[in-house]
Amino acid sequence: MATMFPESLETADFETTGEGRVYSFLQNHAKPDQEFLVWYEPRIGDLKPDFVVYHRSVGLLILEVKDWTIGQIIDAGPRQFTLRQGTRTVPAGNPLEQSRHYVIALIQMLRNDGQLVSRDPAHKGQPRIPIVGGVVFSNIRSSEYTERHLNAVISRDLV
């Protein structure tokens, strides 16, 4: 079992059901179990990404979880999605951009701290570990994602 913060579903206060499902998935399926550390809504300055996952040989992964259904997505672009919510259409930021915003903030936090940045002249000031962002669409199947050509907006390897 991965090490989770908070340590159980009972102590976590999920904003969406998708976040609860992702928490459960990471807790029960991240292998090798004890080598994964997973934080739900950690603070990065003023920001709160949904999940930060760490493994010493992989690095840090920041996940943004969206509970959208395929039917809610009217349009998708590099900066903005348009969603159907009941009878209204509403704009929403591209979740990958949101995730990247968290990555940039985390890198800046590490640079300010100085402990986990390289001192090698070729990489001076860069984090010593890889940090990447991704998106989880908790209510969209892979086949639906591809059929709607959403992979042209956010590559499948980041979803």
Side-chain angles (χ1 to χ4, degrees), residues 65-86:
V65 179
K66 295 299 180 193
D67 277 16
W68 304 337
T69 64
I70 200 70
Q72 285 181 285
I73 301 173
I74 297 169
D75 189 37
R79 297 266 180 237
Q80 183 173 304
F81 278 52
T82 304
L83 304 175
R84 180 178 297 114
Q85 290 185 343

Side-chain angles (χ1 to χ4, degrees), residues 50-118:
D50 292 331
F51 290 94
V52 173
V53 181
Y54 170 76
H55 188 279
R56 65 184 171 152
S57 62
V58 177
L60 284 163
L61 170 63
I62 297 178
L63 295 174
E64 179 60 26
V65 179
K66 295 299 180 193
D67 277 16
W68 304 337
T69 64
I70 200 70
Q72 285 181 285
I73 301 173
I74 297 169
D75 189 37
R79 297 266 180 237
Q80 183 173 304
F81 278 52
T82 304
L83 304 175
R84 180 178 297 114
Q85 290 185 343
T87 59
R88 301 179 307 134
T89 59
V90 295
N94 180 318
L96 184 59
E97 288 300 310
Q98 188 176 356
S99 181
R100 286 182 176 154
H101 184 69
Y102 298 140
V103 168
I104 291 166
L106 181 57
I107 289 171
Q108 190 57 50
M109 181 186 282
L110 293 175
R111 284 182 180 148
N112 292 342
D113 178 65
Q115 298 288 324
L116 294 174
V117 294
S118 177

Side-chain angles (χ1 to χ4, degrees), residues 4-27 38-41 50-51 65 67:
M4 307 296 288
F5 303 97
E7 75 180 61
S8 74
L9 284 168
E10 291 77 37
T11 58
D13 185 20
F14 299 109
E15 290 187 28
T16 68
T17 56
E19 289 174 1
R21 290 195 328 261
V22 170
Y23 180 100
S24 181
F25 175 82
L26 292 170
Q27 181 180 41
V38 179
W39 291 266
Y40 172 66
E41 290 192 334
D50 292 331
F51 290 94
V65 179
D67 277 16

